[in-house]
Amino acid sequence: RKEVEQDPGPFNVPEGATVAFNCTYSNSASQSFFWYRQDCRKEPKLLMSVYSSGNEDGRFTAQLNRASQYISLLIRDSKLSDSATYLCVVNMGYQKVTFGIGTKLQVIP
Amino acid sequence: SAVISQKPSRDICQRGTSLTIQCQVDSQVTMMFWYRQQPGQSLTLIATANQGSEATYESGFVIDKFPISRPNLTFSTLTVSNMSPEDSSIYLCSVDSGRAKFQETQYFGPGTRLLVL
C-alpha cells in the first residue's frame, strides 16, 4: 500500500461547481497534513495546512479524519484558475514529508 | 516563505555528461532537500542536505550518481552524473518551512527541467 494515495483524475468540472478530492495515508502516526497546488510546468506551492479537524480559506476547505486516515479538499464555486494538480502531502515526523501523486483538476467554461 | 532560485532553469544534455544544478535561498535554512519529478509522477526525495555534514540519500539514490554539496546555510548543488535518458526529469530543491516540530512542510524552488538525449 502506498504511503499517500490519491485519485489522479482528471476531474473535469464546470465553472461554479463544487469539487472534492480525497487522500488516504497509511501511517497512523502521521503528524500533519497539507495540500499543495502544482500548475503545469511549475513547482508545487503550499495551498493549505490541515492540523487538527480541518480548516477553511475562502472557497477552499480541508478536512482531516484521523480515524479513517484520510484528508479531503473541497473547492466551492470553481474558477478556471483553479485548474491545476492538487498534491496531498503528509508529514510523518522527523522533517520528512511524503507526496501523493496528485489529483488533476480541469475547470471547464 | 523563503525565496528560492535554481540554475539552470532547463537544459538539454548528451548522455554520459554531468550537470550541476544550483539552489540559492534568500535566508539561512538548516535543511535543504532535493527532489525529482518524472513525467506524470509525484515528487521523489533524492536526498537531504544539511550544512556541515554529508547528505542523506533515500533508497535508490547514491552519492556517486547524485553528489550534493552544501557549503553554507543558503546554498546547495546537486550534480546528476553520467547522465542517461532515464535521468530526464524535473529536479527541485526545497527548504524546510521553519514551523514548529511536526508541523514542518517545505517550500520549493522553480525547478530545473533536464532532458538527456
Side-chain angles (χ1 to χ4, degrees):
Chain A
R1 182 183 173 186
K2 291 182 181 177
E3 291 179 304
V4 179
E5 292 204 64
Q6 291 183 258
D7 180 347
F11 283 58
N12 298 312
V13 302
E15 264 187 295
T18 295
V19 61
F21 311 133
N22 280 340
C23 164
T24 58
Y25 59 95
S26 61
N27 188 339
S28 60
S30 298
Q31 299 291 332
S32 51
F33 311 86
F34 309 90
W35 284 102
Y36 278 69
R37 169 188 172 134
Q38 186 171 26
D39 292 283
C40 186
R41 303 177 70 81
K42 298 285 188 181
E43 74 274 22
K45 293 185 178 177
L46 180 62
L47 178 66
M48 296 182 75
S49 304
V50 189
Y51 290 139
S52 54
S53 60
N55 58 323
E56 185 173 322
D57 183 4
R59 298 182 293 108
F60 297 82
T61 301
Q63 294 283 335
L64 167 64
N65 185 318
R66 283 193 183 272
S68 299
Q69 295 183 204
Y70 77 84
I71 66 173
S72 63
L73 178 67
L74 181 77
I75 305 175
R76 290 180 296 277
D77 188 23
S78 299
K79 312 289 184 190
L80 294 176
S81 57
D82 293 333
S83 298
T85 297
Y86 291 84
L87 301 169
C88 173
V89 181
V90 176
N91 182 330
M92 300 185 183
Y94 306 104
Q95 295 177 309
K96 280 248 178 112
V97 294
T98 300
F99 289 80
I101 196 170
T103 298
K104 186 173 183 179
L105 171 67
Q106 185 68 48
V107 181
I108 304 165
Chain B
S1 62
V3 176
I4 307 167
S5 61
Q6 283 186 237
K7 289 182 182 180
S9 59
R10 63 182 66 233
D11 208 341
I12 300 174
C13 301
Q14 296 296 322
R15 67 177 67 203
T17 63
S18 298
L19 176 72
T20 295
I21 303 168
Q22 300 179 7
C23 180
Q24 180 76 52
V25 190
D26 70 340
S27 57
Q28 295 184 338
V29 293
T30 303
M31 301 181 76
M32 295 179 76
F33 307 88
W34 286 100
Y35 287 84
R36 181 171 73 183
Q37 187 174 30
Q38 295 181 306
Q41 303 293 318
S42 189
L43 283 80
T44 301
L45 181 64
I46 298 172
T48 302
N50 290 340
Q51 193 268 336
S53 63
E54 286 196 4
T56 303
Y57 288 83
E58 297 299 305
S59 176
F61 297 97
V62 295
I63 188 171
D64 290 346
K65 175 67 175 177
F66 297 101
I68 287 172
S69 78
R70 183 79 202 273
N72 57 53
L73 292 173
T74 64
F75 187 78
S76 179
T77 67
L78 169 76
T79 299
V80 186
S81 303
N82 188 25
M83 289 183 285
S84 67
E86 291 71 34
D87 294 320
S88 299
S89 187
I90 300 172
Y91 291 86
L92 295 135
C93 76
S94 72
V95 303
D96 181 75
S97 63
R99 296 182 178 187
K101 189 177 181 181
F102 300 128
Q103 294 178 359
E104 308 97 336
T105 188
Q106 295 173 17
Y107 299 117
F108 286 85
T112 296
R113 285 158 184 76
L114 171 62
L115 176 63
V116 184
L117 302 177

